[in-house]
Amino acid sequence: MVFKFFNAFGTTSIFFDTSRYMNLRAFFFGVDLTDAPIAPVSQVDMQRPEGFRYYLKAVPTKAPNDKRPLVIVLHGGGASATQVLGMAFPPSPLSVWLEIAEREQVVVIAPNGNSQRGKRSWNDGFADINTNPTVDDVGFIDAIIDRAINDDAVDPERVYVIGVSKGGMLAYRLAVELAPRLAAFSAVLAGMPERATYAAPTHALSALIVGSTADPFIPYSGGKFPYTLWFMAPMLGIASTVEVWRSLAKLPDAPSQLVVGSAIRHTWGDRASSLQVVLLKIVGGGHAEPSRKKRYPGLFNRFPGKQNADLEIAEEAWAFFKEKRRTRVS
């Protein structure tokens, strides 16, 4: 839209192009669109052996008719619970979980990582990263689940975890060490470690794994980019990571495939209520969660890379989680 301002002689003196302004704003600040009611957020403090910890909790405003699902959202390295729920810059695609919480009667919890070694992060179990905090993040999440079941009418059969980047790496560890407590998990822009401090998984879980082929931090084919120095360690490729969970679930070798714009959804397992493994392959995508409503600044497209707009990652994850229930260890 163009606004025209006229001087006393009736001639145009100023042109203001709002579309150009909006494009410029999106380039530097991103886009943060919320078009539905969101669940209110509160902070919960917890004393842990390593000291004071906290998490943010979003609980729907409507009284529950039954026990609610719980989704635990894990932020990336250097980010925070506040950022991942959309209350700090840059816009977070995972903050769409606040809309899902209110709409679908889901309790959403975002734990805050520990700053033990100067940068807020997770003890994700990568044996070759010596900058990771040494705190017991698995125990922290386990205690959060207990408290949510006790305080927030959470259904212990419907506990889900989703994490991005370093949070996704922790999600893999939780999927191994807390497997009997989880119904499904999602790791976004993250691979499993080549050398882990935790054991190999033995309990099959439904998994939604998201990888971008042009991610400058997480090599799609595995290994490690030299310029990531000591902050990263060699990891399995995305396809190899998927194979770990597909094989454990004893699902067929060949997936079904669906192309969604520049993304390809590979699905192993036919029934949404049973074990499934899904790979969302973002062709040409960078280190940015797919989203239509929460857009990182356009400046970020140069580094860490292009953000896919064909999918809304939180909605994808909820659609995947919704019918899943935890499976018992045989």
Side-chain angles (χ1 to χ4, degrees), residues 137-139 141-142 145 173-182 205:
D137 281 324
V138 175
I141 304 303
D142 197 34
I145 294 171
R173 183 172 190 173
L174 297 174
V176 173
E177 297 192 345
L178 295 183
R181 304 208 72 177
L182 303 181
L205 273 181

Side-chain angles (χ1 to χ4, degrees), residues 149-234:
I149 290 170
N150 184 66
D151 295 352
D152 301 303
V154 159
D155 185 351
E157 304 299 311
R158 302 182 71 191
V159 177
Y160 314 97
V161 169
I162 181 170
V164 58
S165 192
K166 289 286 282 183
M169 296 172 194
L170 180 61
Y172 288 123
R173 183 172 190 173
L174 297 174
V176 173
E177 297 192 345
L178 295 183
R181 304 208 72 177
L182 303 181
F185 78 97
S186 177
V188 182
L189 309 175
M192 293 181 72
E194 285 188 3
R195 287 201 329 118
T197 61
Y198 55 89
T202 58
H203 181 83
L205 273 181
S206 290
L208 169 64
I209 296 171
V210 183
S212 292
T213 62
D215 191 321
F217 297 127
I218 310 297
Y220 192 86
S221 58
K224 174 186 181 298
F225 292 123
Y227 54 78
T228 57
L229 303 175
W230 58 87
F231 299 109
M232 291 290 186

Side-chain angles (χ1 to χ4, degrees), residues 189 212-216 262 282-290 295-310:
L189 309 175
S212 292
T213 62
D215 191 321
S262 59
I282 312 300
V283 179
H287 197 69
E289 310 95 296
R295 304 293 297 167
Y296 289 119
L299 185 63
F300 286 23
N301 281 333
R302 299 179 181 180
F303 192 82
K306 185 178 180 181
Q307 183 182 14
N308 178 279
D310 298 316

Side-chain angles (χ1 to χ4, degrees), residues 87-272:
M87 294 175 284
F89 182 82
S92 170
L94 293 184
S95 67
V96 175
W97 277 109
L98 297 181
E99 296 181 26
I100 297 170
E102 185 71 1
R103 185 185 78 224
E104 302 285 344
Q105 290 293 293
V106 178
V107 175
V108 172
I109 286 177
N112 204 57
N114 189 271
S115 302
Q116 184 184 54
R117 293 186 171 175
K119 181 182 179 183
R120 195 179 296 106
S121 192
W122 302 108
N123 186 357
D124 56 25
F126 271 69
D128 297 314
I129 301 180
N130 58 18
T131 57
N132 277 345
T134 58
V135 297
D136 182 10
D137 281 324
V138 175
F140 179 39
I141 304 303
D142 197 34
I144 288 172
I145 294 171
D146 283 338
R147 184 171 289 187
I149 290 170
N150 184 66
D151 295 352
D152 301 303
V154 159
D155 185 351
E157 304 299 311
R158 302 182 71 191
V159 177
Y160 314 97
V161 169
I162 181 170
V164 58
S165 192
K166 289 286 282 183
M169 296 172 194
L170 180 61
Y172 288 123
R173 183 172 190 173
L174 297 174
V176 173
E177 297 192 345
L178 295 183
R181 304 208 72 177
L182 303 181
F185 78 97
S186 177
V188 182
L189 309 175
M192 293 181 72
E194 285 188 3
R195 287 201 329 118
T197 61
Y198 55 89
T202 58
H203 181 83
L205 273 181
S206 290
L208 169 64
I209 296 171
V210 183
S212 292
T213 62
D215 191 321
F217 297 127
I218 310 297
Y220 192 86
S221 58
K224 174 186 181 298
F225 292 123
Y227 54 78
T228 57
L229 303 175
W230 58 87
F231 299 109
M232 291 290 186
M235 62 190 75
L236 300 179
I238 298 300
S240 297
T241 297
V242 168
E243 178 58 19
V244 169
W245 298 97
R246 183 212 65 80
S247 177
L248 191 60
K250 296 182 173 59
L251 294 170
D253 292 341
S256 62
Q257 295 187 31
L258 179 66
V259 176
V260 184
S262 59
I264 307 171
R265 186 188 295 115
H266 303 77
T267 303
W268 291 265
D270 296 333
R271 295 174 54 200

